[in-house]
Amino acid sequence: MIPLDIAIIAKEEELREELHTKLVCTANHGFAPYAQEELRRLFGSVKSTMLIPGEVFVATLQTGPEEAVEAIRLQPPIFLRHLFPVQMEMAGADAEAAIREAAGWLAQQEAVKEARSAAIHVRKTDNSSWAHSPGELREQLQQHLAPLELEFTVQQPEWIISLFATDDIWYAGVSKAEDNLSDWNGGAIRFQREEGQISRAKFKLLEAEQQFSIPFASYRRALDIGAAPGGWTSFLLERGVEVTAVDPAKMHPSLSGHSGLRVIRKNAAEVSFRESEFDLLVCDMSWSPKQMVKLVTGLLYSLQIGGTAVITVKLLTKKPMALIKEIIAQFEEARMQVQGAKQLFHNRDEITLYMIKY
Ligand SMILES: C[S@@+](CC[C@H](N)C(=O)[O-])C[C@H]1O[C@@H](n2cnc3c(N)ncnc32)[C@H](O)[C@@H]1O
């Protein structure tokens, strides 16, 4: 017979094992400390180790995996762009041995055995024991998993197999795309650059459309503040929205004469519109956030109740969390309800706010 107190200690240890989640977390370059802070605010003490400075870290939470995923889903983080749960850690100094171990472990996972399709996301550090490209590592792993007759796909996979290879430890996990916060490897969503594309800024609005599921084609009249050279404007015109573009700077010549476009070459502080003239307001001014809020809230009378606003907020400060809180509070005072706030992959030192007027 095992004495009762020893049995209880063993059980507690088992439970403690369960109440423990390891995540490989990714933020935009330089913003990992804020993603770490978001996790600390959600889960209390968080142990973390940087894997790629300022960008990727592995975090250990004293919470069970399901509870952790649920908490993150209920309070979506702004700076934590992507995560995957670590279910297996391998000694990685010998890359070939680590691949075999990873493949052997994966082949035994129920999710992998029963899955019809999966995506393999591979990333590595610069000094990783895997000296070739992540793509080559993915191919090797795929070859090892060939007997499973699993369809490897990029789009809408049933499961995502993640592998992060450093010089001495390789981290692996199997998860659903929604639990990773993104179905793109590391949350790095890529769009094809189109011929004649006016600006890279367009990618920000494309990404916001996907991230927040914004039905851009359902709007009729948009106000674009700080519109030049016209990446956002061209995106909205493509979605069939009429656009009023305000900017003292010149719009791209390819937009001139577009029947759905009105251009006002003025400072946005000097323009006025009819009440409720627009059902969409977008603003990407790359300007002092406090000035931007003043300017945008001054024009909100022209946005219908129920109308949408998509706005980038430049983080010109060492205290972005406090700044974001202040900016959101000011918009809320102006009857804007925040639906989403996120540092998108295509945002640099800024975040994107998605709001609805009530
Ligand atoms: C980052 S660019 C916008 C890029 C644009 N979203 C695109 O997709 O091409 C910022 C623009 O804001 C404009 N801007 C800055 N302050 C402004 C103001 N007070 N009123 C109107 N436009 C302003 C600048 O002239 C500049 O063209």
Side-chain angles (χ1 to χ4, degrees):
M1 273 272 287
I2 304 170
L4 191 60
D5 50 352
I6 293 180
I8 288 171
I9 289 167
K11 184 72 189 160
E12 275 178 356
E13 270 173 4
E14 213 179 287
L15 278 172
R16 227 174 288 140
E17 281 283 317
E18 281 172 24
L19 291 176
H20 166 119
T21 304
K22 229 177 210 188
L23 305 170
V24 169
C25 302
T26 306
N28 281 7
H29 184 72
F31 287 90
Y34 305 112
Q36 287 173 320
E37 177 60 23
E38 288 178 316
L39 287 178
R40 269 193 291 274
R41 288 182 186 188
L42 271 177
F43 300 104
S45 84
V46 174
K47 218 179 88 194
S48 57
T49 313
M50 271 303 161
L51 302 180
I52 297 180
E55 205 169 320
V56 183
F57 60 96
V58 57
T60 309
L61 320 173
Q62 298 306 315
T63 310
E66 279 171 25
E67 209 183 312
V69 165
E70 181 69 6
I72 291 172
R73 199 179 293 149
L74 286 175
Q75 289 191 61
I78 296 174
F79 293 101
L80 179 61
R81 190 178 81 209
H82 178 271
L83 60 87
F84 79 80
V86 176
Q87 292 141 354
M88 174 68 173
E89 280 177 62
M90 288 145 285
D94 177 345
E96 292 301 332
I99 296 180
R100 280 194 301 276
E101 197 179 343
W105 174 77
L106 283 166
Q108 284 168 14
Q109 300 313 297
E110 286 307 315
V112 176
K113 279 198 271 188
E114 286 168 13
R116 275 165 282 116
S117 69
I120 301 186
H121 289 176
V122 175
R123 286 179 293 157
K124 50 170 256 178
T125 53
D126 285 344
N127 68 349
S128 170
S129 53
W130 178 259
H132 312 286
S133 71
E136 285 164 295
L137 178 49
R138 189 190 60 235
E139 274 168 31
Q140 286 256 335
L141 200 55
Q142 246 169 255
Q143 279 170 19
H144 279 277
L145 296 175
L148 291 177
E149 290 181 10
L150 193 59
E151 185 204 343
F152 293 108
T153 167
V154 180
Q155 278 173 356
Q156 300 185 322
E158 212 181 326
W159 290 94
I160 295 181
I161 295 169
S162 305
L163 184 66
F164 194 99
T166 76
D167 54 338
D168 59 347
I169 303 176
W170 286 25
Y171 301 92
V174 182
S175 46
K176 293 275 185 195
E178 59 267 28
D179 295 342
N180 290 16
L181 302 178
S182 165
D183 51 5
W184 289 78
N185 192 2
I189 180 166
R190 308 278 178 189
F191 299 106
Q192 198 118 34
R193 210 187 154 90
E194 300 150 8
E195 244 192 75
Q197 187 172 315
I198 293 171
S199 70
R200 290 189 61 82
K202 182 177 182 181
F203 290 149
K204 288 192 267 184
L205 213 48
L206 269 165
E207 190 179 351
E209 181 180 46
Q210 293 208 3
Q211 172 71 39
F212 304 124
S213 306
I214 306 175
F216 280 112
S218 69
Y219 300 104
R220 294 180 59 205
R221 267 188 290 278
L223 172 62
D224 185 354
I225 305 171
W232 285 28
T233 290
S234 69
F235 167 88
L236 295 171
L237 291 169
E238 279 164 26
R239 291 286 183 277
V241 187
E242 285 177 19
V243 182
T244 298
V246 180
D247 200 309
K250 249 189 173 167
M251 297 293 277
H252 194 271
S254 63
L255 292 169
S256 68
H258 196 295
S259 59
L261 176 62
R262 166 170 61 147
V263 177
I264 305 178
R265 283 197 56 190
K266 281 188 177 173
N267 185 314
E270 295 163 4
V271 292
S272 58
F273 301 101
R274 277 182 284 116
E275 207 153 302
S276 306
E277 186 169 338
F278 306 103
D279 55 0
L280 174 66
L281 182 155
V282 298
C283 173
D284 178 35
M285 264 188 348
S286 274
W287 213 29
S288 142
K290 287 178 192 166
Q291 303 276 16
M292 178 277 290
V293 175
K294 210 170 142 207
L295 208 144
V296 171
T297 51
L299 287 169
L300 280 176
Y301 66 88
S302 66
L303 183 67
Q304 295 167 11
I305 290 180
T308 291
V310 180
I311 287 165
T312 55
V313 181
K314 197 100 183 145
L315 304 172
L316 299 166
T317 163
K318 289 197 172 69
K319 291 186 177 159
M321 302 286 222
L323 172 74
I324 293 166
K325 201 170 158 200
E326 198 183 321
I327 298 293
I328 286 180
Q330 286 177 10
F331 275 122
E332 280 174 347
E333 232 171 82
R335 304 189 67 81
M336 297 302 288
Q337 193 178 56
V338 176
Q339 307 291 306
K342 189 92 195 163
Q343 186 169 51
L344 305 174
F345 174 64
H346 291 282
N347 283 144
R348 299 213 181 255
D349 48 357
E350 61 190 9
I351 65 156
T352 298
L353 286 182
Y354 162 42
M355 300 178 286
I356 289 184
K357 185 173 171 181
Y358 66 98

